[in-house]
Amino acid sequence: MLTIQEKNLTPQQIVAELDKYIVGQKSAKRSVSIALRNRWRRLNSDEEIRDEIVPNNILLIGPTGVGKTEIARRLAKLAHAPFMKVEASKFTEVGYVGRDVESMIRDLTDVAISMVKQEMQDRVKEKAEHKAEERILDILIPPVKKSGVGFNSSSNSNDFDPEKASDSELNERTRERFREKLRNGELEDREIEIEVNSSKNPMMKVFGPQGMEEMGINLQDMLGNLGKGNKKTKRKLPIKEAREILTEEEAEKMIDHESAVQEALERVQKQGIVFIDEIDKIAESSTGSGGKGGPDVSRQGVQRDLLPIVEGSAVSTKHGIVKTDHILFIGSGAFHVSKPSDLIPELQGRFPIRVELNSLTEDDFVDILSKPKNALTKQYIAMLDTEGVEIEFKDEAIQEIARIAAEVNASVENIGARRLHTIMSSLFDELLFAVPDDINSGKITIDRAYVDKQLAGIVKDKDLSHYIL
């Protein structure tokens, strides 16, 4: 797995990758691609000024279902950087029931540690597989204490005399034969009993004022360590499954956990990305109730608590101190009720780049249904292919689905591309129920007539479409 520095993607390459999954939204793609490339530029800049280069945080503004979250999700995969998506509405200011805003950095650190440990395990996988193979052989053919004369594996097998051979030599030859069988996959279904480390630790969560979440995590670790006397559990598994478990266990033993934590902390501070969704929900509407109590009471409090994190501060985690100065924050919100200027001025200033995403048109829906790698049409084709049923979409059918989705969005509620999920679900409802009982093979063509038949009446009755779509 490559870090930002190693992968070295240019802004245009990043946009090209995003284009494979997301339709339109060129300005948003440009902004995030530049922000991502700037991480690489900073890491390769002169040391004297490196610490002074701060990330330009981004605020994505646009209606629901236009691709805000998808852009951030795909960006994280491209960057291979520690990434955490949080919802601003889950946080609350200190003193109210809810999560402390600093928990997003703690969660990001945990993600980074898992990522680094996985990379380290991948590097030692070959050695771990060899050790796992030895453990399986020890179960199949337990070793015996070697006699004074050792076994020479390079000796000619024609010279071997079973009558004169020692127990150790016989044992080694048997192990070698079984090793060959293991590598040829001849023993994959054979069941063996293995001992594995018990991973079940008591879970404990503590909610309360600031810092109590971290105390809860530490208590959980302490309780877990109390019962850790190398507790083993026995499991009976086929060799194929046992090999995976034992390889993972051996790889875990071979990695340096302390250096993994240090590398993860450094990666979080230099390359971490936090995507704060629904940030508009903590903005107080200028046309609202004016803060007259109720659920709005903690909104400005959340913004004040969020400000030092975005601005740059030191957050205490169970693995060490994490500085947030160079973490990239991407805020996102529909801003239907409120607007970006309703955020407190200090927080507005920490999101200098604002990108407005466009509402999706009928033509966009056509592209969404046909162009991306994970297009809905391709998903339904793949699902029904497992049942032996071949699906073919006509261009006229895709055009009609897009038209209906755009019309329902205009007349009921604009939920963007998510409308396509509900339309496609209604379109395939009858077919998915009939397969495989009534239809177990063959080719089905989805044309305009089929679409009109399945979706007849949905758009005409606006009151009904409130419930169906």
Side-chain angles (χ1 to χ4, degrees):
M1 192 171 284
L2 302 173
T3 61
I4 292 173
Q5 197 162 7
E6 292 167 330
K7 199 161 184 185
N8 194 14
L9 286 173
T10 66
Q12 291 182 25
Q13 288 173 335
I14 293 166
V15 170
E17 287 296 316
L18 292 174
D19 282 341
K20 293 178 183 177
Y21 299 96
I22 301 151
V23 170
Q25 314 302 357
K26 288 183 180 178
S27 57
K29 289 174 186 173
R30 280 173 63 96
S31 295
V32 296
S33 67
I34 292 167
L36 192 61
R37 180 64 179 186
N38 282 346
R39 324 295 319 267
W40 180 88
R41 289 167 178 153
R42 178 187 165 271
L43 290 172
N44 288 275
S45 62
D46 191 83
E47 283 188 21
E48 289 183 9
I49 200 168
R50 190 179 298 167
D51 287 340
E52 302 300 324
I53 301 172
V54 293
N56 286 329
N57 299 323
I58 302 167
L59 188 62
L60 301 178
I61 304 161
T64 185
V66 295
K68 300 187 297 293
T69 306
E70 187 67 13
I71 285 173
R73 196 163 65 88
R74 295 293 171 186
L75 191 71
K77 288 187 177 181
L78 283 177
H80 291 303
F83 175 83
M84 175 56 55
K85 176 185 176 290
V86 296
E87 289 183 14
S89 53
K90 286 186 178 177
F91 298 107
T92 184
E93 65 179 313
V94 176
Y96 291 88
V97 178
R99 297 200 73 192
D100 171 18
V101 290
E102 289 187 352
S103 64
M104 70 173 75
I105 306 300
R106 298 186 189 114
D107 292 342
L108 183 67
T109 307
D110 290 337
V111 167
I113 288 171
S114 298
M115 180 186 289
V116 172
K117 282 185 176 179
Q118 187 59 53
E119 288 173 15
M120 287 183 166
Q121 286 180 12
D122 290 342
R123 287 197 287 265
V124 297
K125 191 175 181 182
E126 197 173 325
K127 290 180 181 177
E129 284 174 347
H130 180 70
K131 289 196 172 188
E133 186 182 79
E134 289 297 324
R135 283 179 65 177
I136 293 169
L137 284 171
D138 287 346
I139 295 166
L140 293 170
I141 313 292
V144 295
K145 288 183 180 179
K146 293 186 179 181
S147 57
V149 182
F151 168 62
N152 185 6
S153 59
S154 62
S155 62
N156 195 331
S157 58
N158 296 329
D159 299 335
F160 178 68
D161 186 355
E163 297 294 331
K164 295 179 183 177
S166 64
D167 289 344
S168 176
E169 199 172 353
L170 286 168
N171 181 268
E172 279 295 333
R173 284 187 175 272
T174 309
R175 282 172 70 89
E176 287 304 314
R177 280 200 299 272
F178 270 80
R179 190 191 304 278
E180 196 175 329
K181 285 176 179 286
L182 274 175
R183 290 177 180 175
N184 292 337
E186 296 173 31
L187 304 173
E188 294 295 273
D189 296 327
R190 182 165 174 174
E191 284 200 343
I192 56 171
E193 191 173 66
I194 61 170
E195 278 193 343
V196 293
N197 292 326
S198 178
S199 58
K200 287 185 179 178
N201 290 332
M203 295 296 288
M204 181 176 181
K205 289 285 180 186
V206 177
F207 294 95
Q210 190 171 12
M212 289 296 281
E213 277 188 341
E214 189 66 13
M215 191 186 85
I217 294 167
N218 291 334
L219 281 172
Q220 183 181 319
D221 289 346
M222 286 167 59
L223 291 171
N225 290 331
L226 285 174
K228 258 187 188 176
N230 284 331
K231 210 172 183 181
K232 299 273 187 180
T233 54
K234 288 188 176 182
R235 295 180 65 186
K236 206 165 187 178
L237 296 166
I239 284 177
K240 186 179 179 180
E241 293 178 29
R243 187 189 287 110
E244 290 178 13
I245 292 170
L246 294 175
T247 301
E248 192 176 330
E249 200 173 289
E250 290 299 328
E252 181 79 15
K253 290 178 189 173
M254 293 165 73
I255 64 174
D256 184 349
H257 292 271
E258 189 60 37
S259 65
V261 169
Q262 292 308 313
E263 187 181 331
L265 288 175
E266 191 175 343
R267 199 177 291 187
V268 166
Q269 294 176 126
K270 290 182 178 178
Q271 302 179 11
I273 301 171
V274 176
F275 181 73
I276 308 172
D277 207 359
E278 309 290 354
I279 200 168
D280 56 319
K281 301 298 185 291
I282 59 168
E284 282 193 343
S285 172
S286 53
T287 58
S289 58
K292 297 178 182 176
D296 296 341
V297 74
S298 66
R299 287 184 180 182
Q300 279 203 10
V302 176
Q303 293 183 58
R304 284 193 297 269
D305 287 350
L306 196 58
L307 183 62
I309 306 291
V310 179
E311 200 167 44
S313 61
V315 176
S316 175
T317 74
K318 64 177 179 178
H319 305 290
I321 301 294
V322 173
K323 292 181 179 178
T324 66
D325 302 67
H326 297 103
I327 292 175
L328 175 67
F329 290 88
I330 302 175
S332 163
F335 290 97
H336 285 310
V337 179
S338 57
K339 50 188 183 292
S341 59
D342 290 331
L343 293 167
I344 59 174
E346 297 88 345
L347 193 59
Q348 288 182 52
R350 297 309 298 173
F351 288 91
I353 299 176
R354 295 185 187 177
V355 184
E356 194 163 342
L357 284 82
N358 305 317
S359 295
L360 298 173
T361 63
E362 187 177 320
D363 290 338
D364 289 330
F365 287 147
V366 172
D367 290 342
I368 289 168
L369 285 169
S370 52
K371 289 184 179 178
K373 277 189 174 182
N374 60 339
L376 272 175
T377 50
K378 295 173 186 176
Q379 291 177 29
Y380 277 95
I381 288 168
M383 280 197 296
L384 286 162
D385 186 53
T386 62
E387 305 271 15
V389 177
E390 187 183 344
I391 299 292
E392 183 191 356
F393 282 91
K394 293 286 186 185
D395 291 342
E396 60 182 30
I398 291 175
Q399 192 74 46
E400 182 65 9
I401 294 166
R403 187 193 66 77
I404 292 172
E407 191 175 326
V408 177
N409 270 351
S411 60
V412 183
E413 183 73 37
N414 189 357
I415 59 170
R418 292 191 177 96
R419 181 71 66 194
L420 293 173
H421 286 270
T422 56
I423 294 280
M424 292 289 279
S425 179
S426 299
L427 179 66
F428 277 90
D429 181 71
E430 189 178 319
L431 184 57
L432 290 171
F433 187 77
V435 174
D437 297 312
D438 300 330
I439 306 168
N440 54 24
S441 63
K443 182 176 180 179
I444 296 173
T445 301
I446 308 294
D447 55 15
R448 182 167 184 164
Y450 183 88
V451 173
D452 289 340
K453 180 187 171 188
Q454 296 299 320
L455 302 178
I458 286 179
V459 183
K460 292 176 185 175
D461 192 337
K462 291 183 182 179
D463 293 330
L464 187 59
S465 27
H466 273 289
Y467 299 98
I468 294 179
L469 300 176

